Amino acid sequence: MRYNEKELQALSRQPAELAAELGMRGPKKGSVVKRRLVKLVVNFLFYFRTDEAEPVGALLLEHCRVTQEEPSGFSISFVEDPERKYHFECCSEEQCQEWMVALRQASYEFMRRSLIFYRNEIQKMTGKVGTGHGSGHCSWAGLMSPCLSFTQDPLEQFGISEEARFQLSGLKA
């Protein structure tokens, strides 16, 4: 797998949708649970040693399955290699549910499906095909709210270049 390491590190410094210190166990046999700062940024799950600023690794949340393993724990496995499973331990059931929902909604495919769904809903309501506005704001019912331009790639709003988009098939953490 090829990726731009500097761009990935820069992405890891962006504001997180969700971040917490969790117990994490990697996919290797005999792996033990370690405390990691886990940070969800767009469709990447970065994990850090609790005392370091640079990530130890990252998981691209595409073609993956998020499964509850116990009341306060979940795992992430990948379609192309289901045996490679990462386990996470949360402080509570509520925190576990929050992480599972966020991770399931983080994939590019989920964002694309959501964009198509909302585009179709707007078209049904207005009879017009949405194109967004150059200002980056849409006005519905007189309210100004930020939104994506329907012609813009959803990940462009986060500054993710074509080079940073890659499949995880060859990554070994």
Side-chain angles (χ1 to χ4, degrees):
M1 175 186 80
R2 289 185 274 160
Y3 62 93
N4 183 319
E5 188 172 332
K6 287 184 182 182
E7 200 166 309
L8 201 55
Q9 286 179 348
L11 183 62
S12 76
R13 294 184 197 102
Q14 296 298 312
E17 282 83 19
L18 196 57
E21 195 173 303
L22 303 176
M24 180 181 173
R25 182 168 42 94
K28 294 179 183 172
K29 294 251 188 240
S31 182
V32 296
V33 175
K34 297 176 183 175
R35 295 304 290 174
R36 296 285 187 230
L37 172 60
V38 180
K39 184 176 175 182
L40 176 62
V41 180
V42 192
N43 61 342
F44 284 91
L45 187 67
F46 294 97
Y47 49 99
F48 303 75
R49 289 188 181 92
T50 55
D51 60 346
E52 293 183 7
E54 296 301 322
V56 175
L59 301 175
L60 178 62
L61 299 172
E62 299 299 333
H63 308 289
C64 69
R65 171 172 273 131
V66 178
T67 309
Q68 188 160 7
E69 295 287 328
E70 51 198 54
S72 61
F74 64 92
S75 66
I76 299 173
S77 59
F78 296 89
V79 173
E80 72 273 357
D81 188 5
E83 298 300 314
R84 189 171 60 112
K85 190 183 279 192
Y86 295 81
H87 297 269
F88 296 87
E89 295 177 0
C90 300
C91 296
S92 66
E93 283 185 57
E94 293 79 23
Q95 184 185 40
C96 181
Q97 290 301 315
E98 180 182 25
W99 273 97
M100 289 175 45
V101 167
L103 294 169
R104 287 177 180 148
Q105 293 178 352
S107 75
Y108 179 81
E109 183 60 27
F110 179 85
M111 287 188 277
R112 189 180 77 71
R113 283 192 315 255
S114 296
L115 182 65
I116 291 168
F117 171 79
Y118 289 116
R119 180 188 300 155
N120 290 336
E121 290 298 304
I122 290 168
Q123 186 175 2
K124 285 180 200 173
M125 292 170 66
T126 65
K128 298 178 183 176
V129 176
T131 58
H133 296 351
S135 68
H137 287 82
C138 295
S139 179
W140 291 308
L143 299 173
M144 293 297 287
S145 62
C147 71
L148 283 175
S149 166
F150 295 124
T151 57
Q152 181 182 19
D153 186 298
L155 294 182
E156 285 178 5
Q157 74 168 341
F158 297 101
I160 299 174
S161 71
E162 287 294 321
E163 295 81 47
R165 300 171 196 195
F166 59 88
Q167 296 299 314
L168 192 61
S169 60
L171 181 63
K172 301 292 182 208

